[in-house]
Amino acid sequence: MSDFLLKPGDLESLPKTKRRSPYEFEPPITVYWRKDVEAKALEVWGSKELLWKELLKKDIERKTYQQNVFTVKKRLRDYRREVGSLSQNYEKEGLFGRSGKVVLIAVVINGSNFLFKLMAWIFTGSHSMFSECIHSLADTINQLILAYGIHKSVQTPDSDHPYGYTNMKYVSSLISGVGIFCVGTGLSIYHGIHGIMFPEPVDSFYWAYVVLGGSLVSEGATLMVAINSIKKGAIEKKKSLKEYVMTGQDPSVNVVLMEDLAAVLGVMCAAGCMSLTSFLGNPIFDAIGSLVVGGLLGGVASFIIYTNVAALVGQSISQESLDKINSELESDIMVRAIHDVKGIDMGNSLVRYKAELDFDGRELTRSYLDKHDLNTMLDEVKKMQNIDELESFLLKHGENIVDMLGGEIDRIELKLKKKHPEIRHCDLEIL
């Protein structure tokens, strides 16, 4: 009847016949001839054109209603997720957080060391001092890049970057590692080779020793700040110091740690080689010091590049953390089983969690029926006079059950985020 926009009363005068029901134990069904129904529709509506216009109007109204319902449901879903997100206390430290303070301290100290080492190199002409000067300059520039990466990493997600900018920490750290390798290692080794091939007498290293002593103290202080920051992070993550550094949990502080460790060792190597040059009068040792500092920078750069590339490619969270999240999900009464689970570290102590769910349809339906009066539903079914009414009844409750399924997924996602605040994005798919 819906195809011809007729009412049950319009069909009473038409010829009809009985046919066996396709369903076992069901009474025969009443059927009409199509030509009689078409003729009746023309009689009721006047012409095919008027019937088609009315059908088109009904179709537009139906689609508009469906679109409005979809829009309301989508906004309600977004609102529930937004409210759930506001209840989470994400670690948005920025430049004034633990990592940012370490980097800013390193920028100030390394910038000062660069100026002092530059003056000492100009005064003495030492190859080792030149390498240390380049080392401090590279550290300062790289840490400015790190500061930008930390600032950018806490930026609010937008339509172009729905998962946020947390990877900017790893990107800036990777750029820093490449910069150390190209500038620091390259220039230091080049200057060392040049000093060996074309040795020149050098002046007194007195002021150079003073500058190196000051650099050792300042670089050591920055190193201790970085170590303390990493210790706190390792305790929070319940990991050993070595495991925390090797997995690149805090890439910015890792870069400062490795750079300052290389700086302390480099200052000691440079001072030792310069002392041999002063004591023996042979400038070759000073050039060798430049090569050693270049080698240290190369090692540090390689480690930084390796750890950050691994993080950018996509690094899974620890199996222990993943098992805890899985257990929480599997304990929900609506979940029968979970499959294809993934937990990716997004940086900034945030996690993206994805899982495919085998929902328990009986529990979902039982939960839906618990919210309705079954006697009322039974009376409604008994009063039905035709298949259209039954179809409307089933469509209404079927749509409501699907809506309830979406609500259950939202509930589970919010529960996971509340129990595990590190989860920023939770993608649950229904099998």
Side-chain angles (χ1 to χ4, degrees):
M1 290 189 295
S2 59
D3 292 341
F4 298 96
L5 301 180
L6 295 176
K7 300 177 182 178
D10 297 329
L11 302 179
E12 291 179 355
S13 61
L14 298 181
K16 54 189 174 184
T17 185
K18 296 288 185 178
R19 290 287 186 270
R20 187 177 65 179
S21 172
Y23 305 102
E24 192 175 3
F25 306 118
E26 292 291 329
I29 60 176
T30 302
V31 295
Y32 300 88
W33 294 104
R34 184 178 180 88
K35 63 177 182 178
D36 295 334
V37 176
E38 290 178 347
K40 187 65 177 179
L42 291 177
E43 179 186 337
V44 172
W45 292 101
S47 66
K48 286 186 177 181
E49 289 75 15
L50 292 176
L51 175 61
W52 289 342
K53 286 182 180 179
E54 190 66 22
L55 285 171
L56 180 60
K57 179 182 176 182
K58 294 288 185 181
D59 186 58
I60 293 174
E61 290 176 353
R62 179 180 59 82
K63 290 182 178 179
T64 302
Y65 171 76
Q66 291 177 342
Q67 182 61 39
N68 291 338
V69 170
F70 173 78
T71 302
V72 171
K73 289 179 181 178
K74 183 177 183 298
R75 289 179 178 176
L76 180 61
R77 183 185 181 95
D78 292 341
Y79 173 75
R80 284 199 298 256
R81 289 185 171 179
E82 183 180 354
V83 170
S85 298
L86 291 176
S87 65
Q88 307 299 321
N89 295 319
Y90 297 128
E91 183 182 3
K92 295 187 67 174
E93 295 183 335
L95 287 175
F96 300 102
R98 188 172 61 213
S99 301
K101 289 179 180 178
V102 172
V103 172
L104 291 177
I105 291 172
V107 168
V108 173
I109 291 178
N110 282 309
S112 302
N113 287 341
F114 163 69
L115 295 176
F116 287 118
K117 289 177 182 179
L118 178 64
M119 290 186 289
W121 170 66
I122 293 174
F123 184 77
T124 63
S126 167
H127 297 293
S128 296
M129 184 53 67
F130 173 81
S131 296
E132 281 300 307
C133 177
I134 294 298
H135 186 175
S136 294
L137 175 61
D139 286 353
T140 303
I141 295 174
N142 291 331
Q143 282 149 12
L144 287 172
I145 296 174
L146 291 178
Y148 172 77
I150 293 174
H151 169 71
K152 191 74 174 177
S153 68
V154 297
Q155 185 172 325
T156 304
D158 52 38
S159 57
D160 293 329
H161 302 86
Y163 289 107
Y165 296 81
T166 54
N167 277 343
M168 278 302 299
K169 270 190 174 184
Y170 297 112
V171 173
S172 61
S173 298
L174 180 62
I175 295 173
S176 178
V178 173
I180 294 172
F181 189 83
C182 294
V183 179
T185 303
L187 286 178
S188 296
I189 291 179
Y190 168 78
H191 214 263
I193 293 174
H194 185 273
I196 292 175
M197 296 179 64
F198 307 101
E200 296 179 1
V202 293
D203 296 329
S204 172
F205 288 150
Y206 175 76
W207 288 110
Y209 291 139
V210 173
V211 171
L212 287 177
S215 296
L216 183 63
V217 173
S218 59
E219 298 282 9
T222 310
L223 178 62
M224 293 306 299
V225 171
I227 290 175
N228 288 332
S229 177
I230 288 179
K231 281 183 177 179
K232 292 179 182 178
I235 292 173
E236 291 176 1
K237 292 291 184 179
K238 298 179 181 179
K239 293 183 177 181
S240 65
L241 186 64
K242 179 181 178 181
E243 185 181 5
Y244 187 82
V245 172
M246 294 299 294
T247 54
Q249 293 292 320
D250 195 341
S252 301
V253 178
N254 278 1
V255 172
V256 174
L257 172 71
M258 300 308 296
E259 286 181 347
D260 287 337
L261 179 60
V264 171
L265 296 176
V267 167
M268 295 170 63
C269 290
C273 292
M274 289 166 63
S275 298
L276 289 174
T277 296
S278 298
F279 183 73
L280 300 176
N282 188 348
I284 297 296
F285 292 105
D286 185 40
I288 292 174
S290 182
L291 293 175
V292 172
V293 172
L296 283 172
L297 291 174
V300 169
S302 299
F303 174 78
I304 292 173
I305 292 171
Y306 170 76
T307 55
N308 285 282
V309 165
L312 285 171
V313 168
Q315 187 169 277
S316 176
I317 61 177
S318 67
Q319 188 61 44
E320 181 183 359
S321 300
L322 192 60
D323 289 340
K324 288 181 180 179
I325 299 175
N326 292 344
S327 298
E328 184 71 25
L329 185 57
E330 289 175 325
S331 65
D332 194 275
I333 191 173
M334 292 294 176
V335 179
R336 185 182 297 150
I338 60 175
H339 307 277
D340 193 23
V341 178
K342 295 181 178 68
I344 304 299
D345 187 351
M346 298 174 57
N348 278 5
S349 300
L350 301 177
V351 171
R352 179 184 177 186
Y353 180 78
K354 178 259 180 188
E356 294 180 355
L357 305 184
D358 181 6
F359 245 68
D360 192 331
R362 297 180 67 87
E363 284 294 339
L364 181 67
T365 306
R366 186 177 291 111
S367 177
Y368 176 77
L369 294 177
D370 287 342
K371 299 176 182 178
H372 294 76
D373 187 347
L374 294 182
N375 291 322
T376 302
M377 295 176 69
L378 180 59
D379 292 338
E380 187 177 352
V381 172
K382 288 180 177 179
K383 293 177 181 179
M384 293 179 184
Q385 301 295 323
N386 52 59
I387 294 178
D388 289 337
E389 293 180 359
L390 176 61
E391 181 184 15
S392 176
F393 175 84
L394 294 176
L395 288 175
K396 180 183 71 172
H397 289 285
E399 185 178 19
N400 290 341
I401 289 176
V402 172
D403 292 341
M404 184 175 179
L405 177 62
E408 287 297 317
I409 293 175
D410 290 341
R411 177 187 63 80
I412 294 173
E413 289 180 354
L414 293 177
K415 183 180 75 170
L416 284 178
K417 289 181 178 181
K418 184 176 181 180
K419 192 69 177 290
H420 302 275
E422 69 273 13
I423 298 178
R424 166 66 66 88
H425 300 285
C426 186
D427 303 323
L428 301 181
E429 301 176 3
I430 304 299
L431 287 176

